Amino acid sequence: MDEQGRLGPLRGHRIVKPPCVLTVAGSDSGGGAGIQADLKSMLALGVHGMSVVTAVTAQNSLGVQGAWPLPVEVVRAQYRSVVDDIGVQAVKTGMLASAELVEAVAELLAGTDAPAVVDPVGVSKHGDSLLAASALESVRTRLLPAATVATPNLDEVAQLAGVHVESEGDLRRAAEAVLSYGPKWVLIKGGHLTGDAVDLLTDGAEEHWLRAPRHDNRHTHGTGCTLASAIASELAKGRSVPEAVAEAKAYVTGAIKGGFALGSGIGPVDHGWRFR
């Protein structure tokens, strides 16, 4: 403002509220994955990010040293506080840790009129378990049916559906297995295969194969969280599922290319690569 309290050059500019996206996930104290990655991705893609913390982790570039799920009533209260007052145009879920949390979040999603992107997080980038074995059935029967898009990686496909993907030719079989649990769309992420980074998006009727060059960069912590959050962000803008996934794939490919060293282990992707 100028000395007389006027807006000066901003006078007459209309402020437009961006779409609102909610992440329901665990906290990553190292800032590379979890709600930290989600909120960075959402900001980079032009939406307003909000969060429901499901668990607190002590983690860094070397792995997860500890994880503490929050009580169901705390998670439910956060969700209702945000959704009932502010509203959401899309929801993304990540680490849910326990069967009780999975079931509570699935119930909340079912009662929310917004697309839901479910990242069925099972293990961290370092191989640390982030989902209790007792929660797997709840993910299959309660959470996946509430998903607009489910985004499992190959380890999570094996964990949930018992399908082991060895080559690109197995992706269709993996997608069919996950779709049988009820999500509208499934994106099978083939990033762990050799060659180009290829993913399969399908609703059982149409298929979209998404390819990107594989970047020789070991610093990929947070890739799955970033992709799912990007999809939710694009859905919140009104894009169709295939459009949203294609845009998100382009964003995360750039983030992987820009991944940087942090600490003495695996560093994060660069959520702000488009601003460098």
Side-chain angles (χ1 to χ4, degrees), residues 93-106 109 118-122 130-147 150-152 156-157 159-161 178 180-183:
T93 72
M95 176 187 177
L96 299 181
S98 69
E100 293 79 12
L101 282 175
V102 169
E103 292 175 8
V105 170
L109 291 179
V118 170
D119 185 14
V121 175
L130 298 175
L131 182 71
S134 59
L136 286 174
E137 189 61 20
S138 296
V139 172
R140 297 182 189 107
T141 61
R142 299 291 301 279
L143 188 61
L144 288 176
T151 64
E156 290 154 356
V157 168
Q159 187 180 41
L160 288 167
V178 178
S180 70
Y181 296 121

Side-chain angles (χ1 to χ4, degrees), residues 70-141:
L70 294 183
V72 168
E73 59 267 27
V74 174
V75 171
R76 187 179 288 113
Q78 292 177 81
Y79 191 101
R80 290 265 60 94
S81 179
V82 171
V83 174
D84 293 348
D85 173 50
I86 301 172
V88 291
Q89 279 68 63
V91 182
K92 176 261 178 184
T93 72
M95 176 187 177
L96 299 181
S98 69
E100 293 79 12
L101 282 175
V102 169
E103 292 175 8
V105 170
E107 181 181 351
L108 290 165
L109 291 179
T112 303
D113 186 20
V117 179
V118 170
D119 185 14
V121 175
V123 295
S124 75
K125 180 69 67 178
H126 305 86
D128 303 295
S129 177
L130 298 175
L131 182 71
S134 59
L136 286 174
E137 189 61 20
S138 296
V139 172
R140 297 182 189 107
T141 61

Side-chain angles (χ1 to χ4, degrees), residues 41-255:
S41 302
M42 292 170 188
L43 179 63
L45 293 171
V47 301
H48 175 66
M50 306 173 293
S51 63
V52 170
V53 181
T54 61
V56 175
T57 71
Q59 71 178 284
N60 53 28
S61 68
L62 297 174
V64 179
Q65 290 78 48
W68 298 269
L70 294 183
V72 168
E73 59 267 27
V74 174
V75 171
R76 187 179 288 113
Q78 292 177 81
Y79 191 101
R80 290 265 60 94
S81 179
V82 171
V83 174
D84 293 348
D85 173 50
I86 301 172
V88 291
Q89 279 68 63
V91 182
K92 176 261 178 184
T93 72
M95 176 187 177
L96 299 181
S98 69
E100 293 79 12
L101 282 175
V102 169
E103 292 175 8
V105 170
E107 181 181 351
L108 290 165
L109 291 179
T112 303
D113 186 20
V117 179
V118 170
D119 185 14
V121 175
V123 295
S124 75
K125 180 69 67 178
H126 305 86
D128 303 295
S129 177
L130 298 175
L131 182 71
S134 59
L136 286 174
E137 189 61 20
S138 296
V139 172
R140 297 182 189 107
T141 61
R142 299 291 301 279
L143 188 61
L144 288 176
T148 305
V149 188
T151 64
N153 62 29
L154 301 187
D155 290 336
E156 290 154 356
V157 168
Q159 187 180 41
L160 288 167
V163 175
H164 297 274
V165 176
E166 303 294 340
S167 67
E168 184 177 318
D170 296 327
L171 292 177
R172 184 177 287 116
R173 182 166 56 91
E176 291 171 352
V178 178
L179 279 173
S180 70
Y181 296 121
K184 293 182 177 67
W185 291 81
V186 63
L187 177 68
I188 304 295
K189 300 178 295 189
H192 294 169
L193 298 175
T194 58
D196 286 348
V198 58
D199 307 325
L200 172 59
L201 172 70
T202 180
D203 63 352
E206 59 181 274
E207 290 183 350
H208 301 267
W209 293 84
L210 298 99
R211 299 179 184 276
R214 185 176 299 278
H215 297 294
D216 184 19
N217 186 352
R218 67 187 291 262
H219 301 300
T220 57
H221 184 48
T223 305
C225 304
T226 300
L227 179 63
S229 295
I231 295 170
S233 298
E234 297 300 336
L235 290 174
K237 297 175 187 178
R239 296 189 189 277
S240 68
V241 170
E243 291 170 339
V245 172
E247 289 289 333
K249 173 84 168 178
Y251 170 70
V252 80
T253 299

